[in-house]
Structures are given as structure tokens and as C-alpha cells.
Amino acid sequence: MKGPPTRANDSMTKHFNTLVISDLHFGEDLSPSATEVQTRHIDLVEEQLCAFLRHYSRRREGGRPWRLVINGDLCDFLAISVFPGDPGLGDSASATAIERIYGVGRTPGAARQKMRAIVDRHPALFRALARFLARDNRVDIVCGNHDAELFWPEVQAVFRDAVAAACVAANDARQTVAAGARPPTAPPVGEVLSRLEFHQWFVHEPGAYWIEHGHQYDENCSFEYGLNPVAPGSEEIATNVDAAASRFVTNRVREADPHAQEDWSFGGYLSFGMSLGARGIWRLGRAYAQFSWALIKMWRLCASRSATATERRALHFSRLEALAAKEGIPAATLRALDHLHRRPVTRNLSRLLKVLMLDKLLLYSAAILVALVAMMALPLLWGVTAVVATALVAAGGSWILSRGRHIDPSLALELSPSRIRKHLGVDLVIFGHTHRPVARALDGGGHYFNSGTWVPSGRPGILRAFTHIIIRQSDHGTAATLCQWRDGASRALTADWRPRAQKVAAEPVTAPGEAAPVAA
């Protein structure tokens, strides 16, 4: 079903049809704890993404080129560890013990090396992007929480150089194939790169759509100053929950799936630890202690650096003013949108303790201590009664504490699109981040989309992988479709879809390569 006409005839909007993908996590296969399954899954993501880009490089709709918006977490810098003494990181003599064990933090030098590792591991990705750009299409890359390092120009430069090298190689191949005849024309490398752009916050087309990754609405992944995400008094990107979890837990405990732990309870973690055996419990406990201590240190750092916070805030809003002027959005409007973002949990100690479940750890430790004292100091009957009463009190306290622990960001993202539309009046608000594809109408008009993920690991699994959004422009307005790349084409994502062998009739009735619009 086509949506209403857009309220603006912006030249970019009318000139391009738009593809939106997110959460591909190239680099997750380079984690020190990557399993064979995770490596194969990222190889599958690369294989299918290259097919997707090849398909849309050869095919246009309405004569319009494509605008590909990669809406965050294209790369997973958090999963990769680099260590002092590695090439490009200088002398290791001054490295801390933490850096020697868990790798260097989120510095520009470390990020540059991680970007080079991704380039070396996935050359086909950059060849596919180069071909796509060479066909007069454009690519806009939005920073997510796993690739916030793209904030730095030197990291962007490594990415651009990889695309440029792929362009040069493709041009050389054309010359060779021509074998003395007139070679096929190819655009200059500079022209190709001019159609590649990085965005730290959002992609916006007036009246049509607003696209941002969505991590800024998630207190466990957000940065206090999104346009200046560095830690106080440092050049390193600020530590948040997902960064600390990757560095200290999932990169070190092979069995800890980074996509499958959001809803685990305290008991769930205990059960997981016990399944690892005595040595595994020790590894998990040590990793969790380092993870917790890193976040508490970040809270202390942010709480004690008031002068530095003023400088960070000033730089953030200076960049916001410049961005408003560049995008043609009133600065007051952009400030209001920035105000919708949630402060990181590292700015609130009580909420941080809930997220880390240290409040429950203290509660259960106290309960065990009381029970032991009661059994030793009281007669048997009274001791047993005291132990039962203590257990009931601890269970009740745990239930109360659980009510204040919110890890899943889906609700916060669901509430934000209507608020964004009040400020901008766009038809479509599009997020990524949660890995859960969504297409739904908003009260008061417009639609909210979530582009899901291309990674089949963990939730939601391969049946909900390779999802994306197609936004088509016409003289009648804008129409958007939530799709899945399967069987070599973009097909409408349906809730009951199953592989052909299980449910043949579930395949939507569309022409090959087509997908019927579901919302706009």
C-alpha cells in the first residue's frame, strides 16, 4: 500500500530510491572468542550482501539510482582486540596490565588497526561497495554503537582507501579485458568516493524520512554527548555497557554469545556459569568483575570531571549547530531531538548497579550471611524458620529490584518515532540497533520501521536475518517496504514465513525481485 505524498520535493529524495540496512557486524568474526559458527555467519552476511549490492547495481526502478543507507553497526570494532606492541600501536613498555590482557581501549590508533583488519578479512565487501558506487549510486554510513570509531576521520580514511583501491583494481581489470580495444568507461575514483559519506548521527530527507541507528535511546549503549563521544580528559571513546561487556566478557569467554544475553536474569547467569564448570565459573567471574569495575570507573570519572564535562558539552553543541546549518534544520529543533536521547547508565550509580545486578549480588550475599548466622546462633527450629523467612525476604527484594532493571531497548525505541515526527513531520522514522525488524503505523500518522539485522547468530535467527527497507519515490509520494533478502531477491517480510521445504505456500505472490509495499 502506498503512503501519502511527502511534504517536500527535496531534490535528493526525488532523485534516489533508498535502501536501508543495518547491523551487519563485520569484525565479529575477528573476536578472540569467535566460534566457527560465528565466523561462518559473518561469511554468509558478506556473501549475501555482495549479492544484494550486485542485484541493485544492475537494476533501477523508475530510472532512479539507489541511495544505500547503512544505518549503524556495519563494522563491529568492539569484537576485535588489538594489543600493545601490535603494528601501528607503538611501544608496549607503557601499557597497563589491563591492556596487555584485554586489549587496547577505543583509541584512534586501535580503531585504525581494527578497520584495517576488517578490510583485510572482507575484501569482497569493499569491491561490492565500489561497484555499487560506480553505477551512480551513493552510500551513506551512519555510526552505531559498535562502530562509533567511524567518528574519527583517520578511521574513515582507511575505509575510503579500501573502496578506492577496489575501484582502481576494477578499472585495471577493465583495461585488461579490453585487450587493446576501447575499454569500458569508468568514473574517476574521486567521483566515486564523493558519493560515499559518513554520518555521526542521522540521515534526513525533509518530509520523507529520518534515519538513525537508535542506540542513543538505549541507556546501556548511548553516549552522553553523541557528537563528541570521547571520555572525560581522554581521546578514547567513552566506555558504556556494551563496550565493556564485549571487551571483558564476550571477547574472553568463548561460550558467551553477544546476541543472546539481554533478557537473562541473575539466576540465568548463575546457571550459565555453572554450565561452564569450575574453571569456567572462575573465568566468567573474573571477566564480570573487570566488566563491572570498568563501568564503575567510568561513573566515577564522569562524576568528578565537571570542568571537562563543560568542555565536552560545548564541543558537542558546537558540532550540533554546524550540523543543523549543513542539514537545513533549525538548531532549536536539532537540540530538541538531541534531548530525546537517554543519558548513559554510567551517569547514574543506582541504575548502573541494577544493570550490573550488583544490587542483587549484595542482597543474596547478605541473605546467605544472615541465614548462616541464624543456623549457628539459634536452636534448630528457630534457625530453620529464620532461614525460610530470610529466603522469602530475599526473593521479594529480588523481585522489587528486577522491576527497575531494563536491558531491552525495544520499548524506548518504539516510543521515540512519534516524538521525532512532532519536531520534523517526516513520514518515516527508521531505526536499527535492536536486530528486530518492525513495520507499524504510528498514532497520528506516519510509520516506524526497524531495519533488523543481517546477522543470523542468536536472536532473532536466520528466519529474520537479511532484513532491509526499500523506500521508493514517485510523483505520487513515498512508499516503503520491510523486506528480506532471500532466494536472490528482496521479498516482503511476512510474520509466518518459513523455508520452502517447510511451508511452500508462505512465499508472497510477487514478481521475481519485487516486494509489495506494506507501509509508507
Side-chain angles (χ1 to χ4, degrees):
M1 175 176 71
K2 289 187 178 180
T6 60
R7 284 177 287 279
N9 291 321
D10 181 83
S11 59
M12 177 72 78
T13 303
K14 291 297 181 183
H15 183 57
F16 287 91
N17 290 316
T18 303
L19 303 165
V20 184
I21 62 177
S22 69
D23 298 271
L24 298 106
H25 292 274
F26 286 102
E28 189 175 283
D29 49 334
L30 296 171
S31 169
S33 64
T35 64
E36 183 178 349
V37 170
Q38 287 172 318
T39 300
R40 175 56 188 145
H41 281 173
I42 298 301
D43 287 343
L44 183 60
V45 169
E46 182 178 41
E47 173 188 310
Q48 294 302 311
L49 180 61
C50 289
F52 175 83
L53 293 174
R54 185 165 54 248
H55 175 81
Y56 285 104
S57 294
R58 297 170 176 173
R59 180 175 182 274
R60 291 188 177 182
E61 295 185 11
R64 294 178 175 84
W66 294 99
R67 181 185 201 187
L68 174 67
V69 179
I70 305 177
N71 190 24
D73 291 357
L74 168 63
C75 303
D76 197 331
F77 292 99
L78 300 184
I80 306 173
S81 296
V82 293
F83 294 89
D86 284 356
L89 294 181
D91 187 12
S92 62
S94 60
T96 65
I98 293 296
E99 289 175 331
R100 293 179 188 278
I101 298 172
Y102 296 101
V104 177
R106 305 181 77 176
T107 63
R112 192 167 55 245
Q113 293 306 110
K114 292 177 182 182
M115 188 72 253
R116 287 172 178 158
I118 293 172
V119 170
D120 292 342
R121 176 72 176 83
H122 296 286
L125 166 66
F126 295 91
R127 289 196 297 268
L129 287 171
R131 284 194 301 266
F132 182 82
L133 288 163
R135 297 292 183 92
D136 293 326
N137 302 306
R138 67 172 287 119
V139 174
D140 292 274
I141 299 176
V142 180
C143 293
N145 50 305
H146 283 253
D147 55 9
E149 283 83 345
L150 291 173
F151 156 74
W152 282 306
E154 53 263 54
V155 181
Q156 295 178 17
V158 176
F159 194 105
R160 289 180 182 278
D161 289 347
V163 175
C167 287
V168 170
N171 291 344
D172 290 345
R174 289 190 187 96
Q175 295 282 350
T176 302
V177 170
R182 184 177 180 181
T185 58
V189 173
E191 180 182 328
V192 171
L193 293 180
S194 71
R195 295 193 285 268
L196 170 64
E197 187 174 357
F198 293 88
H199 304 264
Q200 197 175 340
W201 181 357
F202 61 83
V203 170
H204 170 236
E205 292 302 338
Y209 52 74
W210 172 273
I211 303 172
E212 66 174 306
H213 183 61
H215 63 285
Q216 286 295 101
Y217 305 94
D218 178 359
E219 66 179 0
N220 296 301
C221 301
S222 64
F223 299 100
E224 186 170 14
Y225 304 113
L227 297 177
N228 183 30
V230 298
S234 169
E235 291 187 355
E236 185 174 341
I237 290 179
T239 299
N240 48 24
V241 173
D242 64 329
S246 294
R247 186 182 184 189
F248 297 107
V249 182
T250 58
N251 285 355
R252 292 292 167 266
V253 181
R254 188 177 181 84
E255 299 84 357
D257 186 341
H259 300 296
Q261 301 178 58
E262 285 187 348
D263 295 330
W264 283 17
S265 63
F266 187 82
Y269 276 102
L270 287 179
S271 177
F272 172 63
M274 292 177 65
S275 72
L276 301 178
R279 186 173 298 179
I281 291 175
W282 167 249
R283 286 191 296 116
L284 182 62
R286 184 176 62 178
Y288 202 84
Q290 290 288 359
F291 160 61
S292 301
W293 179 237
L295 292 170
I296 291 172
K297 284 198 300 182
M298 180 54 60
W299 167 77
R300 292 177 58 193
L301 184 63
C302 292
S304 63
R305 296 263 185 167
S306 57
T308 307
T310 301
E311 295 175 6
R312 292 166 64 221
R313 176 184 173 86
L315 183 53
H316 167 79
F317 282 109
S318 172
R319 289 172 176 166
L320 185 147
E321 298 282 340
L323 183 59
K326 175 188 174 185
E327 297 290 336
I329 302 174
T333 300
L334 210 54
R335 281 176 175 263
L337 292 168
D338 182 56
H339 189 65
L340 297 177
H341 294 161
R342 301 188 68 181
R343 297 182 77 189
V345 71
T346 49
R347 297 293 284 127
N348 186 309
L349 182 59
S350 63
R351 293 194 62 79
L352 178 59
L353 293 177
K354 289 181 184 298
V355 167
L356 297 175
M357 294 186 287
L358 294 180
D359 52 354
K360 287 192 175 186
L361 180 61
L362 292 173
L363 173 67
Y364 290 136
S365 298
I368 291 172
L369 180 61
V370 169
L372 289 174
V373 170
M375 289 299 296
M376 289 187 294
L378 297 175
L380 179 61
L381 181 60
W382 285 103
V384 171
T385 302
V387 168
V388 171
T390 301
L392 291 174
V393 170
S398 176
W399 178 79
I400 293 172
L401 293 175
S402 295
R403 298 182 65 187
R405 182 177 184 267
H406 303 290
I407 299 297
D408 188 349
S410 297
L411 179 59
L413 267 67
E414 290 272 347
L415 294 174
S416 300
S418 294
R419 298 168 181 170
I420 291 172
R421 288 194 72 251
K422 288 181 181 178
H423 293 288
L424 292 172
V426 291
D427 291 325
L428 309 171
V429 176
I430 301 173
F431 293 146
H433 186 55
T434 64
H435 291 201
R436 298 173 186 172
V438 175
R440 69 173 179 84
L442 298 171
D443 294 337
H447 290 80
Y448 162 53
F449 282 83
N450 193 298
S451 48
T453 180
W454 279 59
V455 180
S457 301
R459 294 184 315 175
I462 198 165
L463 294 184
R464 288 293 174 269
F466 315 117
T467 52
H468 55 282
I469 298 158
I470 302 178
I471 305 172
R472 296 177 172 90
Q473 299 294 338
S474 72
D475 294 336
H476 304 290
T478 305
T481 314
L482 178 61
C483 298
Q484 184 176 49
W485 177 258
R486 62 180 190 266
D487 300 327
S490 292
R491 305 183 185 276
L493 181 65
T494 52
D496 62 346
W497 179 81
R498 293 293 183 273
R500 290 178 186 273
Q502 297 181 32
K503 190 171 183 180
V504 176
E507 196 65 47
V509 182
T510 55
E514 295 290 340
V518 295

